[in-house]
């Protein structure tokens, strides 16, 4: 058995400084340890810069898949990351692990617990996943190793994980068993309620604009220093077709994960970060709005392009017609939200969102359909990720350049 401080000390030596996850009783000591260490290092509230001892930070996600996406964004912004979750939630992480981390070659140390371990009594809902946890990890093509439950095993195990992640560009998994880590109490840090957010509406009569027209207007007004993450499907394809820039990341998979990735980037950069989301994707990970509101990155602008349909799969209707995304965002703690239905309304809302301080959300209702001549990104996801990572690390487009 080790202590959380034992693990954090060796993990810190190995460069791990950003944690995201969803709690499990087997993970309680590690999560409490990260939270306590972060609080000891910095007393500031979550915001647009890293917090905690040497930047140590834990972000509590609404779902396991969201935690993977948040960590992916943090990695792009230069952090070495750890994702922690219960194996019963491993299924929620399968999609981003296979359609985000794999194609983009984004590594993370993935710690999942072993609830339902054969031969150890547990709750019935853990029985199936307990039998298949390691096999599922292997089936996803991820390397794995035993969790280092002894002090002498910590450094070699973490060094091995770092080496394998560097070689493969993929996550490395460890399965945490009950009592691998000694109990650790949480020093509670109350979270202040955010001030009420402000809403602005930009109504318009007439036909709604196309997504391509909105993206053309967006390209004309987005700051050159901004990092832009475009959701999966035709949004990213149209953005690439109109203009391929190093500030763009086209999230070809992991539907719903763009907002989580944007949060991970925004918590670790001083640049503006813009997420171009869709109504179907935003609804799929609606809990991400609550996480964004809670951690409140100061320069994040979340744009929901709502055409009311799943455009990439034949135009089937989503349920967004009855959803007021701006109201949802304010209820989740966003500092500014706007609703618009025209190009001029979008531009006015976007400029106001940049000036208002984030997080900010713009709900723009647009027409269904896409460009007649629509390409796909010709740059591989791995190349896009490395290019985007280099852009974030550089001074290009910033006052420091």
């Amino acid at each position: 058995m080790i202590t959380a401080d034992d693990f954090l000390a060796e993990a810190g030596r190995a460069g791990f400084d950003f944690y995201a996850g969803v709690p499990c009783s087997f993970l309680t000591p590690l999560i409490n340890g990260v939270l306590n260490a972060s609080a000891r290092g910095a007393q500031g509230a979550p915001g647009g810069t890293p917090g905690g001892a040497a930047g140590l930070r834990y972000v509590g996600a609404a779902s396991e898949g969201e935690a993977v996406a948040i960590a992916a964004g943090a990695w792009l912004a230069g952090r070495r990351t750890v994702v922690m979750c219960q194996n019963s939630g491993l299924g929620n992480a399968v999609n981003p692990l296979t359609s985000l981390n794999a194609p983009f070659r984004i590594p993370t140390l993935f710690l999942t617990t072993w609830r339902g371990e054969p031969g150890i009594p547990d709750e019935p809902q853990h029985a199936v996943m307990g039998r298949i946890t390691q096999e599922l990890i292997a089936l996803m093509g991820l390397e794995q190793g035993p969790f280092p439950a002894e002090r002498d095993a910590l450094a070699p195990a973490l060094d091995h994980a770092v080496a394998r992640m560097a070689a493969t560009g993929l996550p490395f998994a460890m399965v945490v068993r009950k009592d691998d880590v000694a109990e650790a109490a949480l020093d509670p840090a109350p979270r202040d309620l955010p001030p009420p957010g402000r809403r602005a509406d930009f109504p318009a009569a007439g036909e709604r604009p196309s997504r391509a027209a909105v993206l053309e207007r967006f390209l004309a007004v987005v700051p050159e220093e901004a990092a832009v993450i475009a959701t999966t499907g035709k949004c990213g394809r149209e953005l690439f077709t109109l203009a391929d820039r190093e500030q763009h990341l086209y999230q070809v998979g992991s539907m719903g994960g763009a907002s989580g990735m944007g949060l991970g980037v925004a918590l670790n950069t001083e640049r503006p970060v813009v997420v171009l989301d869709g109504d179907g994707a935003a609804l799929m990970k609606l809990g991400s709005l609550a996480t964004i509101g809670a951690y409140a990155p100061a320069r994040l602008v979340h744009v929901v392009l709502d055409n009311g349909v799943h455009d990439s799969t034949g135009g089937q209707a989503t349920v967004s017609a009855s959803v007021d995304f701006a109201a949802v965002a304010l209820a989740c703690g966003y500092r500014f939200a706007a609703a618009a239905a025209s190009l001029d309304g979008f531009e006015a809302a976007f400029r106001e969102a940049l000036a208002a301080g984030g997080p900010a959300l713009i709900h723009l209702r647009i027409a269904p359909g896409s460009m007649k001549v629509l390409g796909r990104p010709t740059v591989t996801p791995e190349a896009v990720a490395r290019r985007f990572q280099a852009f974030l690390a550089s001074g290009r487009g910033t006052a420091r350049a």
Side-chain angles (χ1 to χ4, degrees):
M1 181 183 294
I2 61 170
T3 67
D5 286 345
D6 292 334
F7 180 85
L8 293 174
E10 283 299 334
R13 179 196 60 79
F16 295 100
D17 58 1
F18 188 97
Y19 293 72
V22 177
C24 170
S25 59
F26 289 11
L27 289 171
T28 296
L30 285 178
I31 293 176
N32 288 356
V34 175
L35 288 169
N36 292 342
S38 178
R40 288 195 299 266
Q43 299 301 319
T49 56
L56 183 66
R57 170 160 236 166
Y58 173 77
V59 174
S63 73
E64 294 81 4
E66 180 194 309
V68 174
I70 292 169
W75 181 85
L76 289 167
R79 308 297 286 269
R80 183 167 284 175
T81 68
V82 180
V83 172
M84 301 187 285
C85 71
Q86 184 180 110
N87 58 332
S88 286
L90 183 55
N92 289 331
V94 168
N95 175 261
L97 287 171
T98 56
S99 67
L100 175 61
N101 295 75
F104 286 95
R105 283 299 193 265
I106 295 177
T108 190
L109 180 62
F110 188 80
L111 304 183
T112 187
T113 58
W114 199 359
R115 299 298 303 268
E117 179 179 354
I120 298 179
D122 208 330
E123 300 295 331
Q125 68 269 23
H126 301 305
V128 173
M129 187 58 80
R131 291 196 301 268
I132 67 171
T133 294
Q134 287 85 350
E135 288 80 2
L136 180 57
I137 293 169
L139 189 63
M140 288 189 286
L142 303 183
E143 294 187 29
Q144 58 186 299
F147 181 81
E150 301 294 334
R151 282 188 188 177
D152 291 346
L154 274 168
L158 290 168
D159 288 345
H160 175 69
V162 169
R164 295 313 302 155
M165 286 190 288
T168 66
L170 294 173
F172 186 93
M174 294 178 177
V175 178
V176 182
R177 304 175 69 192
K178 186 178 182 180
D179 298 327
D180 275 352
V181 186
E183 291 186 12
L186 177 64
D187 297 331
R191 186 186 295 278
D192 294 333
L193 290 175
R198 182 171 60 86
R199 176 168 181 149
D201 290 299
F202 299 86
E207 294 184 357
R208 295 174 181 174
S210 68
R211 182 176 46 240
V214 173
L215 293 176
E216 286 182 326
R217 181 70 65 93
F218 170 76
L219 288 166
V221 299
V222 65
E224 65 177 5
E225 73 270 20
V228 180
I229 297 171
T231 190
T232 188
K234 292 187 176 179
C235 178
R237 291 175 61 187
E238 287 189 337
L239 184 65
F240 174 82
T241 301
L242 291 169
D244 179 32
R245 298 176 179 175
E246 63 179 4
Q247 70 187 132
H248 296 170
L249 187 137
Y250 314 105
Q251 197 182 68
V252 296
S254 59
M255 183 172 172
S259 55
M261 179 178 273
L263 174 61
V265 173
L267 289 173
N268 295 287
T269 184
E270 295 180 359
R271 295 177 179 273
V273 177
V274 182
V275 173
L276 298 174
D277 218 342
D279 50 304
L283 289 168
M284 183 173 284
K285 287 286 192 293
L286 200 60
S288 294
L289 273 69
T291 311
I292 290 169
Y295 287 91
R299 306 195 73 189
L300 176 64
V301 179
H302 187 180
V303 179
V304 179
L305 301 175
D306 180 4
N307 63 5
V309 300
H310 294 288
D311 214 7
S312 295
T313 59
Q316 304 86 356
T318 69
V319 297
S320 69
S322 59
V323 178
D324 183 343
F325 284 101
V328 173
L330 291 177
C332 288
Y334 280 59
R335 306 307 187 254
F336 174 79
S342 69
L343 291 177
D344 289 342
F346 166 71
E347 180 174 344
F350 185 70
R351 292 186 185 279
E352 193 164 343
L354 288 172
L361 181 139
I362 300 169
H363 179 199
L364 178 63
R365 294 198 183 270
I366 62 175
S370 59
M371 299 171 64
K372 291 183 179 179
V373 180
L374 181 59
R376 293 181 182 273
T378 55
V379 188
T380 67
E382 182 177 2
V384 167
R386 270 56 187 177
R387 183 181 73 177
F388 187 76
Q389 186 181 49
F391 169 76
L392 291 174
S394 75
R396 292 191 294 277
T398 70
R400 297 185 299 274

